[in-house]
Every structure is written in C-alpha cells, then in structure tokens.
Amino acid sequence: MKLRSILRNVARQEAASVGEAARRAADSLRHDPRVQDTASRLKARAGDLGGSARARADEHLERLIERRHTRPGVPVPDDVAAALAARRREREARVAMARARAALTAQGETPDQRRVLTLLADSTPWAGGQGEAVRYTGLLDRLAPSGDPAAEMAIHRALWTLAERRVLAVSPHGEITACELPVTVEVRG
C-alpha cells in the first residue's frame, strides 16, 4: 500500500513539473519577437481581409438600397442620397485609416521596429487606433517584459532608429507619437 502511494506521489510531482515546463516554454514563445512579429503580421492580414470584405459588403448594400429606392428615370430621393453619401464617406475614411496604418507599420525594417509600430498604430487616431497614448516605459514593459538587457536594447535601438528616420517622435516626457507620413509612401504587401 505504501509503495503504491509513493508511486502516485512521484507521478503527480513529475506531471506537475512537466506541466510547469510546458507553461514556461509557451510563455517564452509568446514573448519571442519572431513569434510576436508573425502574429502581428497575421493579425494585420486578417484585418485587411476583413476590411476589404466589409467594404465590398457595404458597396453591395448601397447598390441594393439605391435600386430599392429608385425607379427608371426618377432620381434617388434626397434623404436616401444623403444617407448613402454619409455611408460612403465613412467607408472611405475607414479605408484611408487602414491604408495609413499599413503605411505606418510598413516603415518597420526589422521585427522589433514592426512590433513598435504596431503598438504605436493602435494608439494613433489617423491610423485607426483608439488606444491611449504610448509611453516609452510602457512600450518597453510590453515588448521586453522579461527585463532582459538584450531584449530591452533591441527595443531601444528600434525606437531610436525610427525616431531618426522621423517615423515617430518621443517627447521629453516619454510619450511616443507617430509622425504623419508623406503622401507618396508605397505600401508593399
């Protein structure tokens, strides 16, 4: 009887240590810059696909509304035309923000720069972001949570390289903002 309980206890301890090792491995993978870069690219691609699907659906809906409220030779009623024009403006604004976001994140040349720009785009209104302002220390905490000097240095390098290229600006108080991009930015996808 004692041997059986000892074996059970040993098996439980080994299972717990394997589970802990798996959690540590998953956690380190989750914080790996390459995994985060790939995840952000996939998320951006999914957002692009969803945005284009929404735009096509909106266009189709607008055509249906126009057909429903018009007869051959009769113009669209003013209230319907105004509602359709407002929908089109909103859709065009969303598309412009999505393009601005893609242009901003495309400025990143390295995975660390893309990670910085992705977080920055989330808080930049002209790029469709709605989050609160990004602070230097908060960005470091998010992108290098382990406090590893090499990981933090990579983020510092990414930030200052982007600042030198005038993609972003860092205020004396530590607030990071995206600079307006030139109109001629080419987005490669």
Side-chain angles (χ1 to χ4, degrees):
M1 187 79 106
K2 271 188 163 182
L3 181 61
R4 186 178 291 177
S5 64
I6 291 172
L7 289 175
R8 270 192 217 132
N9 286 338
V10 169
R12 285 183 188 143
Q13 289 172 351
E14 286 180 10
S17 66
V18 168
E20 182 60 32
R23 275 189 289 283
R24 283 193 310 268
D27 201 36
S28 72
L29 276 176
R30 199 177 5 242
H31 295 299
D32 186 317
R34 294 170 300 187
V35 172
Q36 288 180 345
D37 185 45
T38 302
S40 68
R41 284 182 183 210
L42 289 172
K43 183 180 173 184
R45 183 71 180 133
D48 291 345
L49 291 173
S52 64
R54 276 190 300 278
R56 283 193 310 274
D58 279 349
E59 290 171 358
H60 182 68
L61 179 62
E62 290 165 6
R63 284 193 303 273
L64 289 174
I65 290 170
E66 281 180 357
R67 272 192 243 145
R68 171 72 175 97
H69 289 284
T70 60
R71 290 181 223 113
V74 178
V76 178
D78 291 339
D79 58 337
V80 173
L84 289 174
R87 283 182 59 85
R88 286 184 184 117
R89 283 192 302 275
E90 289 172 11
R91 184 180 67 246
E92 289 167 0
R94 281 193 310 270
V95 168
M97 284 184 205
R99 283 188 186 132
R101 180 184 181 85
L104 178 61
T105 56
Q107 297 296 308
E109 296 171 348
T110 66
D112 290 323
Q113 289 178 5
R114 285 189 292 272
R115 291 171 58 213
V116 166
L117 291 173
T118 299
L119 282 178
L120 189 57
D122 290 342
S123 68
T124 303
W126 56 262
Q130 299 174 358
E132 57 186 63
V134 176
R135 303 205 55 82
Y136 198 100
T137 53
L139 188 118
L140 278 175
D141 290 344
R142 280 218 36 212
L143 297 181
S146 65
D148 177 44
E152 284 189 5
M153 187 51 71
I155 301 303
H156 285 298
R157 248 185 267 113
L159 280 164
W160 291 109
T161 301
L162 291 167
E164 287 172 353
R165 289 179 28 216
R166 296 194 175 135
V167 175
L168 60 84
V170 181
S171 77
H173 304 291
E175 188 171 307
I176 302 171
T177 55
C179 299
E180 289 281 344
L181 298 174
V183 178
T184 59
V185 170
E186 180 180 323
V187 178
R188 294 179 229 151

